[in-house]
Amino acid sequence: MGLIGPGFIAAQHIEAVRRLGNVEVVALAGSSRESARRRAAEWSVERSYGDYRELIADPDVDVVHNTTPNHLHLEVSLAALAARKHVISDKPLSDSAQHSRTLWQAARRAGVAHVVTFNYRGNPLVQEARAMVKRGELGPLCYVHGQYLQDWLADERVYSWRLDPARGGASSALRDIGSHWCDLAEHVTGLRIEAVLADLGTVVAQREVPRAAGGTFSRASTGGRRAGRAQRRRVRIKSEDLATVLLRFRGGAKGCVAVGQVLPGHKNDLQLEVCGRKASVRWLQERQNELWIGRFGQPSLVVGKDPAILSADAARYAHLPAGHQEAWADAFRNVIADAYQWIREGAKSQARPAALATFADGYRSDLLVEAMLASHAAGGVWRKVPQPA
Ligand code: SOE
């Protein structure tokens, strides 16, 4: 594999691939020869390139991981697909539904594996919840709700390229983390969100941008605090850092989700609850080894992650016995393992592991986000989510 864009999430891609044990990390490409060389040395990657096109042309690279900022996804992934390389793109697939559609079509034409890292799908208890819905244990679904709340953007002296429409796209919080929640809600329930009503806000409307910006969640980005005024400039923020969205699912279930990145104390507070007529299940990302199951007239249960009692579809994602915690990086690795299994099986659509998100899912996610932006822009009215075209 070769990786393009060696920032915050790239380290997780490399580590996950290395844990598979049967994929060689051949090269990485960065924005300059020097920065790429430095990163390659840090991560013990043999080759480095200052231009992503050189990495794509490297005949030893079969799979390209695209971990560049959103606005570069289109160009980089298209170039990799044109060279018939398999592409594993970090989420979101691109910076707009139109670009994601182009990528989805190009991937299908290329006949290669195309993966988007909606990594929370790789949690064993997410798969257990999905299996319970599939088996009908919850009964007909009536309500799907939850949140993805963070606080890393709470301080006005923190800045990220995600807040810049030219680099992140028109949406910020919804595309960055609301996309994870919606993907998970649809994946677990097997239902499509068909209409949305969104109320968006920008709580921190002005930010101080350190001239040398830090990375996501990094001390450097908050550590900008210590930089003097002369090392900063003020920018107006237009994209949303807060969102409340009502949802209508196909088949009649209703739902709602809250998304925010400026809410003190919330780190990666992703919660999903699915309520059916017979039972409800709730999964909290920050307590990911537990699944809450509630039934009317019966005591509620908290089921621990235990491969010995999970259904087969979920047990394949649990690698340690009950009582040993599995976490974010393990779920991420599960997704990467599925991606490489698909690649080894020739990337035929019928061989794709069921939990693996593709460019079709990435495109769908952008259609959802854009329907939410349009709903808010129209004054908070119901908007149909367009079908992929
Ligand atoms: C930052 O908000 C971020 O790193 C997201 O980009 C990831 O997708 C999410 O999993 C954790 O938070």
Side-chain angles (χ1 to χ4, degrees), residues 8 91 119-120 148 150 152 162 176-177 180 216-217 261 268 328:
F8 159 71
K91 46 60 57 178
N119 49 288
Y120 297 106
Y148 196 160
Q150 297 180 327
W152 69 279
R162 292 172 175 80
D176 185 35
I177 56 172
H180 275 304
T216 316
F217 293 115
Q261 297 187 297
N268 275 289
W328 190 95

Side-chain angles (χ1 to χ4, degrees), residues 276-280 292-300:
R277 296 284 294 120
K278 292 202 289 195
S280 304
W292 176 88
I293 303 173
R295 290 191 179 85
F296 179 70
Q298 289 179 39
S300 301

